[in-house]
Amino acid sequence: MELSIQEENEKKKEFLRSYCKSLRREKRIEEDIQELRMNKMFPSVVNDGMPRGSEQSDLSNYIVKLDEMIEELKNERLERAKLRQRIERDIQLLDNEDEQEVLRLRYIKGLKWEEVAVETGYTYRRTLQIHGKALQNLKISA
């Protein structure tokens, strides 16, 4: 089944966007780890007068959860590094340096279109034209 040019370009954009998505997942995991650490350092106080067992003395659940989250972070970083290498390799195969630069700025650095235009020195419209041509020329490796 042959994909239309638009469908093929959407697939390519989704592939290119996957790097920034991975960065966001990594940041979320880092924030979750930080929140877990903060909650352990500064537990919320319940002032209802009821006696409670000391949760502070048992760190085993905390350590297990922290270890799991750190392992998840390591895995995410490894996957992101592999993904970046793959995307960079595919971008480098483009013959046109302007096309390469537009794709790098947009999908690796995560810049907005206006920022890509300023960075490249092209108009907003010309930047989008270069992007369209780059998508047509981009070959996604397996």
Side-chain angles (χ1 to χ4, degrees), residues 36-97:
L36 181 67
R37 287 177 171 156
M38 293 301 288
N39 287 343
K40 199 59 180 169
M41 287 174 31
F42 305 106
S44 58
V45 177
V46 179
N47 233 352
D48 61 3
M50 298 298 294
R52 305 214 184 277
S54 174
E55 293 180 24
Q56 286 297 101
S57 62
D58 182 21
L59 294 176
S60 60
N61 288 343
Y62 166 73
I63 298 297
V64 168
K65 182 67 176 162
L66 185 59
D67 282 348
E68 288 172 357
M69 293 171 83
I70 289 171
E71 191 61 32
E72 183 182 2
L73 181 59
K74 286 180 192 175
N75 291 336
E76 189 62 47
R77 284 182 173 161
L78 178 62
E79 288 305 310
R80 180 181 51 83
K82 288 178 185 176
L83 189 56
R84 181 177 178 145
Q85 279 183 325
R86 186 173 163 214
I87 291 171
E88 283 279 1
R89 185 180 58 240
D90 291 349
I91 289 173
Q92 285 174 354
L93 293 175
L94 292 171
D95 292 331
N96 185 297
E97 288 184 25

Side-chain angles (χ1 to χ4, degrees), residues 4-13 132 135-136:
S4 73
I5 291 172
Q6 185 176 357
E7 290 170 330
E8 188 177 325
N9 283 349
E10 284 305 314
K11 236 179 128 172
K12 290 176 182 179
K13 285 192 274 188
L135 287 179
Q136 284 179 346

Side-chain angles (χ1 to χ4, degrees), residues 101-112:
E101 187 65 10
V102 166
L103 292 183
R104 269 192 203 96
L105 292 171
R106 179 67 176 164
Y107 297 106
I108 300 295
K109 286 195 170 184
L111 299 183
K112 295 180 174 137

Side-chain angles (χ1 to χ4, degrees), residues 119-134:
E119 196 74 27
T120 58
Y122 289 112
T123 64
Y124 180 84
R125 183 181 178 105
R126 180 67 184 133
T127 301
L128 293 179
Q129 289 171 344
I130 293 170
H131 176 260
K133 193 77 169 149

